[in-house]
Amino acid sequence: MQINGVIGKLIAGFYYVYDHDGNIYECRARGVFRKDDINPLVGDKVVIVEKSKGSYIIDRILPRKNQLIRPPIANVDIAIVVVASVSPEVSLIAMDKLLVNVLKEKVKPIICVNKIDLDAGKTFEMIKQQYSLFNVIGVSAKTGEGIDKLKNYIQGKISVFAGQSGVGKSSILNCLIPGANLKVGEISKKIERGRHTTRVVELLRLGEDTYIADTPGFSSIEIIGLLRHELKYYYPEFYDFEGCRFPGCNHIFEPDCMIKAAVTEKKINFERYERYKQIFMQLPAQKEYD
């Protein structure tokens, strides 16, 4: 008997696979995967077979849509980038880097502003203004505001949650999946950084074909494997402005630049453009990368 499913968790060499109805099967992977240097990942769509009564193996791994290295997870449709209205303070440049990483992996980002009840939505409005081309959702894990809207975005998809510790990712997940009882970290009042509460990558089933994951390590933001001249391709607000004087314009030092003109004309957010320049200077040029 063959069963199609999704790997939800990996522990000590065992893979826990959800089938279409939400049943969970404990499986081993075929030895040929190790021989061929193939590592099944959480999020992989697989075919499992019953080797003996009650004993299952992963027989095939279906083609992946994408694969994230950190955290190790496959077939991600949406990344929910979570920030808090207050405590910890929003780092917009860290969020910009995370958005670049998400778009680079061909994953659709959604910005989720939690704790909107604590500042009357001021941070939410600021972020909506600066990130007008992104989907921005305001929620409160405490009051439940916006949770249903978030559910609609992730229905039928594999989603990962990302963001600084302490922004309320686990609290939001507990709202989305009643009974999940994920551990919620306290904010350190001294340094205003949350304590890490998640240790393994695990898909939690919200409903039919709908899985969400709280992903340790995804909050450590550094852009790896990207050169300076490639950065512009991951800024959606640049896409509508073409015709710079120089082919390959990086929109910083060159004259007659359509992006700089759009910033001057307030068609592109000035603060986000300034952070683009900071990130650009932090990335390696071609000769340095080689």
Side-chain angles (χ1 to χ4, degrees), residues 112-130:
C112 178
V113 184
N114 191 23
K115 308 181 187 180
I116 58 173
D117 54 303
L118 297 182
D119 74 340
K122 292 179 182 178
T123 301
F124 174 52
E125 292 301 324
M126 178 272 291
I127 289 177
K128 278 203 305 182
Q129 180 183 18
Q130 291 206 26

Side-chain angles (χ1 to χ4, degrees), residues 2-286:
Q2 292 188 341
I3 301 171
N4 285 66
V6 176
I7 298 176
K9 183 167 56 174
L10 164 63
I11 299 179
F14 286 96
Y15 299 87
Y16 295 84
V17 177
Y18 288 103
D19 71 5
H20 183 71
D21 297 317
N23 301 308
I24 300 176
Y25 298 82
E26 184 182 79
C27 307
R28 288 282 194 182
R30 291 181 60 195
V32 70
F33 294 145
R34 187 181 298 110
K35 178 183 175 183
D36 294 339
D37 199 26
I38 298 173
N39 295 314
L41 295 176
V42 169
D44 268 331
K45 297 179 181 180
V46 297
V47 177
I48 66 175
V49 296
E50 192 171 19
K51 187 176 180 181
S52 59
K53 187 172 179 59
S55 177
Y56 296 87
I57 63 168
I58 296 175
D59 186 60
R60 280 190 292 142
I61 301 174
L62 302 181
R64 290 170 178 160
K65 172 181 178 178
N66 54 36
Q67 173 185 340
L68 305 186
I69 303 301
R70 186 178 184 190
I73 188 170
N75 297 315
V76 176
D77 298 299
I78 290 177
I80 311 297
V81 180
V82 184
V83 296
S85 293
V86 296
S87 187
E89 183 179 353
V90 178
S91 170
L92 294 179
I93 194 161
M95 185 159 71
D96 288 343
K97 291 179 180 181
L98 180 51
L99 289 170
V100 169
N101 280 333
V102 167
L103 291 169
K104 185 163 65 75
E105 299 296 341
K106 297 181 172 57
V107 176
K108 179 180 179 180
I110 292 176
I111 300 171
C112 178
V113 184
N114 191 23
K115 308 181 187 180
I116 58 173
D117 54 303
L118 297 182
D119 74 340
K122 292 179 182 178
T123 301
F124 174 52
E125 292 301 324
M126 178 272 291
I127 289 177
K128 278 203 305 182
Q129 180 183 18
Q130 291 206 26
Y131 298 87
S132 59
L133 291 186
F134 293 86
N135 290 317
V136 182
I137 303 173
V139 307
S140 169
K142 181 178 180 180
T143 68
E145 183 179 354
I147 295 298
D148 285 341
K149 186 174 182 180
L150 182 56
K151 283 183 179 179
N152 290 334
Y153 273 105
I154 66 177
Q155 186 66 38
K157 297 176 173 63
I158 294 179
S159 304
V160 297
F161 277 66
Q164 290 176 270
S165 296
V167 295
K169 299 187 298 294
S170 294
S171 296
I172 293 171
L173 288 171
N174 284 331
C175 291
L176 292 169
I177 309 177
N181 296 321
L182 295 172
K183 184 180 178 182
V184 177
E186 295 180 354
I187 296 292
S188 167
K189 294 180 181 179
K190 188 173 182 180
I191 61 173
E192 286 213 331
R193 294 182 64 187
R195 298 188 182 98
H196 291 287
T197 59
T198 309
R199 292 292 178 264
V200 298
V201 178
E202 178 181 2
L203 291 187
L204 302 172
R205 189 175 187 270
L206 180 59
E208 186 175 315
D209 298 324
T210 303
Y211 302 93
I212 55 181
D214 190 9
T215 50
F218 208 13
S219 304
S220 301
I221 305 307
E222 287 302 331
I223 300 175
I224 305 298
L226 198 69
L227 300 172
R228 285 180 178 177
H229 71 274
E230 298 170 321
L231 180 64
K232 60 194 173 190
Y233 300 124
Y234 303 103
Y235 277 71
E237 53 265 67
F238 292 179
Y239 297 168
D240 289 337
F241 301 94
E242 298 180 353
C244 295
R245 177 180 174 185
F246 295 99
C249 180
N250 289 313
H251 317 311
I252 295 182
F253 306 110
E254 302 88 343
D256 299 326
C257 170
M258 296 295 290
I259 299 302
K260 289 192 288 186
V263 172
T264 301
E265 296 168 7
K266 299 184 178 180
K267 295 177 180 178
I268 291 176
N269 181 267
F270 173 78
E271 289 87 352
R272 189 152 143 82
Y273 171 71
E274 287 296 301
R275 294 193 299 274
Y276 163 81
K277 292 195 296 184
Q278 290 181 52
I279 296 171
F280 178 91
M281 296 306 298
Q282 293 171 6
L283 293 176
Q286 182 73 49

